[in-house]
């Protein structure tokens, strides 16, 4: 008789957060794809024929960090939704859009996204920049650890801009502390 309660406990502990569907079965064959965290894929630009590969890899949600003007001949939102996937867009033009407000929006999108999720821009650089700033501003990580997080997500050319913003934010935070 003790078997049934133990079985129920095992089933309860193996709830939705422990099922293999939280991770893609494989990285999709798309530009610059990496998996920086469980259930998350960071990538570069998607083309129309990439959407099927993303779905086949088990991705449920795509977060696009590119403005529509970057891909005028491809309606990514329509293609993704037609494939039965969830789609979100936070258009970032580059360093000018690496703001606290956008980082908070990015955090909410990633945190609330149905897993597995693919987050992309043109090369992964903006994705990595946002992940680094999120690591610093949301998770409270030190600059080197935040930059390492960003690099795992695809940060490359925006590293100096990200460092500058994290340092400026830390300086502002220190100036608010009563002395």
């Amino acid at each position: 008789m003790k078997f049934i309660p133990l079985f129920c406990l095992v089933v309860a502990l193996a709830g939705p957060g422990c099922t293999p569907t939280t991770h893609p079965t494989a990285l999709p064959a798309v530009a610059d794809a990496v998996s920086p965290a469980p259930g998350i894929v960071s990538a570069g630009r998607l083309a129309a024929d990439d959407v099927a590969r993303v779905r086949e890899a088990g991705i449920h949600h795509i977060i696009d960090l590119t403005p529509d003007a970057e891909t005028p001949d491809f309606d990514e939102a329509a293609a993704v939704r037609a494939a039965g996937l969830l789609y979100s867009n936070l258009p970032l033009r580059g360093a000018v859009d690496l703001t606290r407000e956008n980082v908070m929006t990015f955090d909410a999108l990633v945190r609330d996204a149905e897993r597995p999720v693919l987050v992309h821009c043109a090369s992964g650089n903006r994705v990595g920049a946002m992940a680094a700033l999120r690591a610093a501003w949301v998770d409270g990580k030190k600059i080197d650890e935040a930059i390492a997080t960003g690099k795992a997500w695809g940060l490359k050319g925006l590293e100096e801009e990200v460092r500058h913003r994290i340092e400026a934010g830390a300086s502002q935070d220190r100036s608010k502390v009563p002395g």
Side-chain angles (χ1 to χ4, degrees), residues 22-47:
T22 60
H23 306 284
T25 56
L27 282 178
V30 298
D32 302 311
V34 295
S35 184
I40 298 175
V41 173
S42 173
R45 181 160 336 276
L46 295 183

Side-chain angles (χ1 to χ4, degrees), residues 126-178:
R126 283 172 275 185
V127 176
M130 294 302 281
L133 292 170
R134 177 183 183 229
W137 293 343
V138 175
D139 298 335
K141 296 189 187 240
K142 302 274 188 216
I143 191 165
D144 289 336
E145 192 175 359
I147 293 295
T149 297
K151 286 181 176 182
W153 286 63
L155 176 63
K156 296 176 268 313
L158 288 170
E159 181 177 343
E160 288 306 312
E161 282 291 333
V162 168
R163 282 185 183 279
H164 173 73
R165 281 168 169 69
I166 293 171
E167 289 167 354
S171 295
Q172 288 176 347
D173 292 343
R174 283 192 296 272
S175 69
K176 293 178 186 175
V177 176

